Amino acid sequence: MNEVTLHRGRSPHLNVIDAYVDGQHLTEAMSDGLILSTPTGSTAYSLSSGGPIVHPSVNALLLTPICPRSLSFRSLVLPGSSRVTLKVSRASRAPAEVSMDGQEARILQPGQFISVEASPHPVPCIKRSADLFTSRVDVEKKRTVMGERGLGDDWVRDINTLLQFNASFKNKHLATEGL
């Protein structure tokens, strides 16, 4: 799973969602919705909603509000072992839609909830490697130049190339006028 989103859907009204972590009430969120994501899903909808970018090796869940009414409601990084329950409050003026990894949404009526927790049986994944077709000598040269930790971490390369992490804004119009 990359993300679970509980949102207002087509309703013009804000959702009221009660969020629980390990059975303890965390907050009543009045917002367009909440996103619960894994580190892998942190660079999708959660990032667009103001959530952090989290390295995939971090065992965590992210709870990110979508356009919250309160300015103090920010994204939270929770332990990956947490059980998170999102309940459409009975005070909510409309039902909420729930979608998982962008799949077709289902409707949750006020009083209904979803609970999410990590499976005790992780899904095995294949890690791509740029070193698959390079010689051992080339790998040793890279280690010397990059250091042990820099080798093979596609995540760092990807946030820089794909997300343009911390890239400065360049106005082409200003650059051509010599300002």
Side-chain angles (χ1 to χ4, degrees), residues 71-134:
L71 293 176
S72 64
F73 190 12
R74 297 288 177 234
S75 186
L76 293 175
V77 179
L78 302 168
S81 60
S82 299
R83 178 183 178 92
V84 179
T85 301
L86 303 176
K87 180 181 179 183
V88 182
S89 172
R90 294 200 184 276
S92 193
R93 294 172 63 183
E97 292 185 11
V98 62
S99 58
M100 292 171 227
D101 289 337
Q103 298 300 312
E104 186 176 330
R106 302 283 188 244
I107 304 295
L108 288 184
Q109 298 296 328
Q112 293 183 314
F113 64 91
I114 58 166
S115 289
V116 179
E117 64 184 318
S119 170
H121 310 287
V123 176
C125 296
I126 299 171
K127 181 186 182 307
R128 68 183 172 151
S129 175
D131 299 324
L132 198 57
F133 299 106
T134 56

Side-chain angles (χ1 to χ4, degrees), residues 3 35 37 41-52 62-64 75:
E3 64 186 23
I35 303 163
S37 66
S42 73
T43 56
Y45 196 9
S46 177
L47 179 63
S48 296
S49 297
L62 283 75
L63 183 65
T64 305
S75 186

